Amino acid sequence: MMTRTVDTTQELAAFLRTRRERLDPDAFGLPRRRSRRTPGLRREEVAELAGVSIDYIVRLEQARGLRPSADVVEALAGALRLAPDERAYLFDLAQQRPRTADKLATTAAAPLARLVADLSPLPAMLLNHRYDILAWNGEIARLLLDFDTLPPPQRNSMWLCLMHPGTREFYADRERVVREAVAHLRAAWAAHPEDRALTDLIAEFTAGDEEFAHWWAERDVKVKGRGRKVLRHPDVGTIAVDFETLTPLQDTDQLLVIYRAADEESQSALDRLSPR
């Protein structure tokens, strides 16, 4: 059940359990006793690795109101061998990572909106942490979708990928694209526990898309700022694009996403999309 906002105590408990259960005892040189009926490490093994008591781990995993210190969070991250994005997520859940004073962005900062326009002919758009599309240029509208034709609540790249009927087959490797987006969204969810609109959006996705619900339950956390996507454009065919995501220092809740053609054929396809 989704709550109206993030219940960090419950989510911390669930995250610690899922990370512990994913660990391979062989990787720690631990014996595979016959009594191991559940996957992963035992609570007492994690406690020993982190230098805390077994009771402390039990209370954390049972969501019994503990708020671990930064030192304990660091020890748990090391014991559970968390990746950097997972470690940051754990710090957010424990409310031990310093937060910026930035307000949640619901409109584009004017200088950034002008920058998006000036980046033409590169396709570019401006997002917030919810994946709301705050500003875009003509090139990305012709590449992805004319966002002007959508009501504002649907101008969200995650909503479009999951819910818009015209984009479901748009990505050649849709599962990877969506899984990465879900993992990024989970990190944003923990970093903004006060954002009720984001929690409502996640609840909508969970109720309306079985794949999202399945991947969200896996609790993968990954912030992916660059990569490659292969698009199936209805007018010009397959286009491979590399993307880069930049965070402005003065508006850290806004994300500038820039696409570039990944090869000559894709550049030719992008050129054909440009007005003559």
Side-chain angles (χ1 to χ4, degrees), residues 199-275:
T199 303
D200 289 345
L201 192 65
I202 293 167
E204 179 185 354
F205 295 156
T206 303
D209 189 277
E210 292 182 1
E211 290 178 331
F212 180 93
H214 173 74
W215 294 326
W216 183 259
E218 291 184 350
R219 289 183 164 80
D220 287 336
V221 183
K222 181 73 173 177
V223 176
K224 190 171 180 62
R226 64 168 58 97
R228 178 168 295 184
K229 297 178 182 179
V230 180
L231 315 177
R232 299 188 183 107
H233 197 279
D235 296 326
V236 295
T238 301
I239 304 176
V241 292
D242 292 326
F243 68 90
E244 189 78 28
T245 305
L246 307 176
T247 303
L249 287 175
Q250 195 163 328
D251 298 282
T252 57
D253 195 49
Q254 302 188 39
L255 306 172
L256 179 62
V257 183
I258 305 169
Y259 285 7
R260 295 175 296 166
D263 50 52
E264 291 185 3
E265 291 183 1
S266 297
Q267 183 61 60
S268 177
L270 287 177
D271 292 341
R272 294 197 299 276
L273 287 174
S274 300

Side-chain angles (χ1 to χ4, degrees), residues 27-265:
F28 293 81
L30 298 172
R32 282 192 171 275
R33 305 185 185 99
R34 290 185 179 180
S35 58
R36 285 190 184 272
R37 298 179 180 178
T38 57
L41 299 188
R42 293 189 177 93
R43 287 168 171 168
E44 57 266 31
E45 291 166 342
V46 172
E48 183 177 354
L49 290 168
V52 298
S53 69
I54 299 173
D55 179 65
Y56 193 86
I57 297 294
V58 171
R59 292 170 66 192
L60 279 176
E61 290 195 1
Q62 292 180 349
R64 287 160 57 185
L66 291 182
R67 182 182 174 186
S69 68
D71 288 342
V72 171
V73 174
E74 188 65 56
L76 289 170
L80 296 171
R81 298 189 177 181
L82 300 185
D85 293 331
E86 293 175 319
R87 176 183 174 276
Y89 183 67
L90 185 63
F91 268 84
D92 280 331
L93 292 175
Q95 302 176 49
Q96 292 293 353
R97 188 159 65 153
R99 300 192 184 280
T100 67
D102 287 358
K103 294 182 179 180
L104 303 180
T106 56
T107 59
L112 295 176
R114 290 195 297 271
L115 177 59
V116 169
D118 291 342
L119 281 168
S120 296
L122 293 177
M125 60 183 172
L126 191 69
L127 310 176
N128 63 10
H129 67 271
R130 299 175 191 150
Y131 284 124
D132 292 334
I133 303 167
L134 307 180
W136 60 91
N137 60 17
E139 283 77 8
I140 205 157
R142 288 186 288 272
L143 176 63
L144 301 181
L145 189 67
D146 185 357
F147 305 123
D148 273 324
T149 64
L150 299 173
Q154 294 180 11
R155 293 175 190 165
N156 177 281
S157 62
M158 193 74 183
W159 188 94
L160 293 172
C161 189
L162 293 173
M163 306 295 188
H164 193 281
T167 60
R168 190 161 187 88
E169 303 301 325
F170 188 68
Y171 295 99
D173 189 1
R174 182 178 180 277
E175 178 176 339
R176 178 183 61 82
V177 170
V178 177
R179 287 179 72 99
E180 289 176 352
V182 170
H184 187 116
L185 197 64
R186 178 169 280 281
W189 182 65
H192 298 274
E194 75 291 346
D195 187 358
R196 182 165 296 176
L198 175 59
T199 303
D200 289 345
L201 192 65
I202 293 167
E204 179 185 354
F205 295 156
T206 303
D209 189 277
E210 292 182 1
E211 290 178 331
F212 180 93
H214 173 74
W215 294 326
W216 183 259
E218 291 184 350
R219 289 183 164 80
D220 287 336
V221 183
K222 181 73 173 177
V223 176
K224 190 171 180 62
R226 64 168 58 97
R228 178 168 295 184
K229 297 178 182 179
V230 180
L231 315 177
R232 299 188 183 107
H233 197 279
D235 296 326
V236 295
T238 301
I239 304 176
V241 292
D242 292 326
F243 68 90
E244 189 78 28
T245 305
L246 307 176
T247 303
L249 287 175
Q250 195 163 328
D251 298 282
T252 57
D253 195 49
Q254 302 188 39
L255 306 172
L256 179 62
V257 183
I258 305 169
Y259 285 7
R260 295 175 296 166
D263 50 52
E264 291 185 3
E265 291 183 1

